[in-house]
Amino acid sequence: MILRFFRRDERRDTVAAFYARISDASRQPGLYRSLGVPDTIEGRFECVCLHVLLVLRRLNRLPPPANELAQDLTDCFFRELDLALRETGVGDMGISKRMKKLAQAYYGRVQAYDPALEARDAGALAAALSANMTEGVAAEGLAAYVLQAEDRLAAQDLDALLREGPAFPAPAE
């Protein structure tokens, strides 16, 4: 009975590996060098939010069990944010307040980007990206990258997403 607590949860490992691929894509140097996303904690937060959002949009358009993976990915994303806060020295007393702010920031971006993505409106998407990122971001180029990523993800079914990882384009260097 107690041995079940020592077994690895295969599903959780799969989701963690899936999230790691998304996180790696959000750290592509071209996003920072060519598209002007600031290479700061805030800039990296913006990029990982954007990439998670794109994958969740794709998962929500796929048949079950993609919805379960979407929920697991969301849980994993917020666990990783919690861990990142703790690694930067935020104590237990401040975690819940900061996590609430990060969740609000993430869902605010979802609300800002979704209408432009649904309409495939590069101008509106660039404006939304520009509003959330600091000066210097090449919003039009980033919007083009995001729309291209959305197209590539749309070509993947659930098996391909899990087997190959999300198909993000390489940002122009």
Side-chain angles (χ1 to χ4, degrees), residues 2 4 14 37 39 60 93 110 120 143 146 155-156 162 168 171:
I2 194 147
R4 70 186 169 113
T14 300
V37 175
D39 194 3
N60 289 327
M93 297 297 287
V110 170
R120 299 207 42 89
V146 169
Q156 290 185 290
L162 289 171
F168 291 107

Side-chain angles (χ1 to χ4, degrees), residues 45 78 81-82 85-86 88-105:
F45 172 76
F78 284 106
L81 289 177
D82 180 280
L85 285 175
R86 291 176 191 281
T88 60
V90 176
D92 288 339
M93 297 297 287
I95 287 290
S96 64
K97 185 171 115 178
R98 298 233 178 135
M99 283 301 297
K100 183 177 179 180
K101 285 183 180 181
L102 290 175
Q104 289 172 336

Side-chain angles (χ1 to χ4, degrees), residues 80-146:
E80 290 296 320
L81 289 177
D82 180 280
L83 180 62
L85 285 175
R86 291 176 191 281
E87 287 177 348
T88 60
V90 176
D92 288 339
M93 297 297 287
I95 287 290
S96 64
K97 185 171 115 178
R98 298 233 178 135
M99 283 301 297
K100 183 177 179 180
K101 285 183 180 181
L102 290 175
Q104 289 172 336
Y106 171 74
Y107 288 111
R109 278 139 184 84
V110 170
Q111 289 179 338
Y113 302 153
D114 264 347
L117 286 166
E118 284 299 317
R120 299 207 42 89
D121 184 342
L125 182 57
L129 289 165
S130 184
N132 285 309
M133 301 218 183
T134 59
E135 283 183 41
V137 68
E140 294 81 15
L142 188 55
Y145 167 82
V146 169

